[in-house]
Amino acid sequence: MKKVSHPIYNLQFGLLCISSLLFSASFNMLIPELPAYLSSLGGAEYKGLIIALFTLTAGISRPFSGRLTDTVGRVPVMAVGSIVCFVCGVLYPVLASVSGFLFLRLLHGFSTGFKPTATAAYVADIAPKERWGEALGFHGLFFSTGMAVGPAIGGYLALHFSINVLFYVSAAFALLSILIIMKMKETLPNNQRFRFSLLKINRRDIILKQAIPAAIVNLLSCLSYGTMLTLIPDKSESLGIANKGTFFMVLTITSLVMRFLAGKASDKYGRVRVMRYGLTVLVLALIGTGAANTPMLFLVAAGVYGIAQGIFSPSLNAWMVELSSPEDRGKAVATSYMAMEIGIGTGAAIAGWYYADHLSRIPAMFYFAAFVVVISIAYAYNWERKQRRLKPHA
């Protein structure tokens, strides 16, 4: 019998990808410039909180966004994430103090707590199970493009205009992301009207047991990303790289093609197997980033990091969805993404605390992050081996 091929590249999927590109560019264009901006406000000692506060509220909001994604619908939850991004972009120039800035970083985290959760569930709704890796990988191309062009745009605007212009452009990108979302069809059947009782969550809404394996790997691997977001801007400057977004741009460009290829590979060879290969490359990238002492070596390490991210990210996301049932898809995504935020926030906080504006300490922090990724590889390998032993008895 001939296998039916379900189309995934349609108008809804295209709109989703464009919205994600704009959303990703909106908040990523700020990241390379925020450490220097906070220092100019007199808050240099709080650099570690730039990412930590953002990820704190992103993590706290995940259980709520997961529950709302599975009840109110995917589209409204995505819209909330983009709206928060827009509001924060407008308010950064207004609340121009250390306390005001840190408050907005706390608020801004709600954006990534909501939109990516609903987006992953939406992709899983419109793509057949046997092509989840491909669909999530292709969507990742657009999100990663936003990650690449965002810092580059941010660096250009900060160098040639002003930080306030950068904030307003960030808000404009978020607004465009909202407008595109409004044209999308809801995919959740029998979605409900919002009511405040839906915000009452229980333990199962916070952590979906089935998604815990993916959440553990996400937490351990993402500690390195928090480290990178905190330390790369200062390391770039120390190596004489004027545009602090260059590292992020190189990283993301190299991840683009890898995301699509790795997503298809995970559909064919298995999620965890392909993911482990990506995590192994990530260890090498982190060691290289810590050891790099010239701009060329630094950017080569960025390219290797992008390859690693392009391999393990779509595989991990497809595994995360695969571990859950359709009615718990939002909760599964929320569980794994909450772990991701904890990993990023912890990495950023530890890096900021240990670094304390001492450039000589940067390599050790990257080596530590690499060691934590090795632990995630060992966990994933043991999980996969255990599943093989159980499968004959299933």
Side-chain angles (χ1 to χ4, degrees):
M1 183 177 178
K2 188 178 180 180
K3 188 176 180 180
V4 178
S5 179
H6 299 277
I8 58 176
Y9 305 114
N10 50 36
L11 179 61
Q12 288 188 85
F13 188 71
L15 291 173
L16 184 70
C17 289
I18 295 171
S19 175
S20 292
L21 187 155
L22 292 167
F23 174 77
S24 175
S26 173
F27 71 88
N28 277 292
M29 70 173 62
L30 303 178
I31 291 173
E33 304 303 323
L34 292 182
Y37 177 68
L38 182 57
S39 294
S40 73
L41 295 177
E45 66 270 30
Y46 300 114
K47 284 182 180 179
L49 295 179
I50 291 173
I51 303 301
L53 290 176
F54 185 93
T55 56
L56 174 64
T57 45
I60 290 172
S61 65
R62 294 289 184 188
F64 299 96
S65 65
R67 180 170 171 77
L68 292 174
T69 295
D70 290 335
T71 52
V72 175
R74 321 314 195 188
V75 174
V77 174
M78 286 192 283
V80 169
S82 293
I83 289 168
V84 171
C85 241
F86 168 73
V87 171
C88 288
V90 172
L91 289 181
Y92 275 117
V94 178
L95 301 181
S97 65
V98 173
S99 59
F101 173 84
L102 295 178
F103 167 74
L104 286 175
R105 289 307 292 168
L106 199 63
L107 179 63
H108 208 158
F110 281 104
S111 62
T112 57
F114 273 74
K115 193 173 190 303
T117 301
T119 297
Y122 196 99
V123 172
D125 287 345
I126 63 177
K129 181 179 180 179
E130 66 274 11
R131 296 179 70 185
W132 276 345
E134 179 185 351
L136 288 164
F138 193 82
H139 171 265
L141 289 176
F142 285 81
F143 195 90
S144 295
T145 300
M147 291 176 66
V149 302
I153 293 171
Y156 177 84
L157 293 173
L159 282 171
H160 298 283
F161 296 93
S162 70
I163 191 71
N164 284 350
V165 170
L166 170 57
F167 290 140
Y168 291 135
V169 171
S170 170
F173 273 54
L175 181 61
L176 289 173
S177 176
I178 299 168
L179 295 177
I180 291 172
I181 290 171
M182 294 298 103
K183 297 292 184 181
M184 292 170 56
K185 275 171 49 178
E186 179 56 58
T187 57
L188 178 68
N190 304 316
N191 56 310
Q192 307 172 29
R193 283 182 174 274
F194 172 79
R195 58 186 187 278
F196 284 102
S197 62
L198 292 175
L199 298 177
K200 185 179 180 180
I201 59 174
N202 55 41
R203 184 182 302 175
R204 191 170 180 275
D205 293 320
I206 298 173
I207 298 175
L208 185 68
K209 184 178 179 180
Q210 294 92 322
I212 288 177
I216 290 174
V217 173
N218 222 352
L219 189 155
L220 294 173
S221 62
C222 284
L223 184 140
S224 66
Y225 196 65
T227 300
M228 184 189 70
L229 291 174
T230 301
L231 301 181
I232 288 302
D234 282 8
K235 178 146 188 174
S236 297
E237 191 173 27
S238 73
L239 293 174
I241 301 174
N243 190 329
K244 297 166 191 171
T246 304
F247 182 95
F248 299 97
M249 180 175 67
V250 172
L251 180 161
T252 314
I253 288 173
T254 57
S255 78
L256 293 179
V257 175
M258 291 307 303
R259 282 179 177 271
F260 181 64
L261 296 177
K264 296 190 77 169
S266 78
D267 289 335
K268 185 175 181 181
Y269 300 110
R271 317 300 186 193
V272 179
R273 181 180 178 185
V274 173
M275 181 185 69
R276 284 193 290 108
Y277 293 151
L279 291 172
T280 302
V281 177
L282 178 59
V283 172
L284 300 177
L286 290 167
I287 294 172
T289 303
N293 55 10
T294 67
M296 178 60 70
L297 289 175
F298 186 60
L299 295 180
V300 168
V304 177
Y305 195 112
I307 292 171
Q309 193 177 67
I311 295 172
F312 83 80
S313 184
S315 306
L316 174 63
N317 288 336
W319 183 38
M320 165 187 72
V321 173
E322 201 168 63
L323 289 171
S324 66
S325 57
E327 61 271 17
D328 288 328
R329 198 163 280 162
K331 297 184 188 72
V333 174
T335 298
S336 183
Y337 279 7
M338 182 169 58
M340 176 187 72
E341 304 295 357
I342 293 171
I344 294 174
T346 301
I350 293 173
W353 166 77
Y354 179 73
Y355 168 49
D357 280 346
H358 292 87
L359 289 171
S360 62
R361 296 181 179 178
I362 288 180
M365 194 62 225
F366 278 104
Y367 301 151
F368 170 72
F371 172 72
V372 175
V373 175
V374 170
I375 296 174
S376 76
I377 295 171
Y379 173 82
Y381 176 77
N382 286 331
W383 183 91
E384 189 177 35
R385 189 170 63 174
K386 182 179 177 182
Q387 294 305 304
R388 286 201 195 103
R389 288 201 305 266
L390 294 174
K391 196 171 183 180
H393 305 287

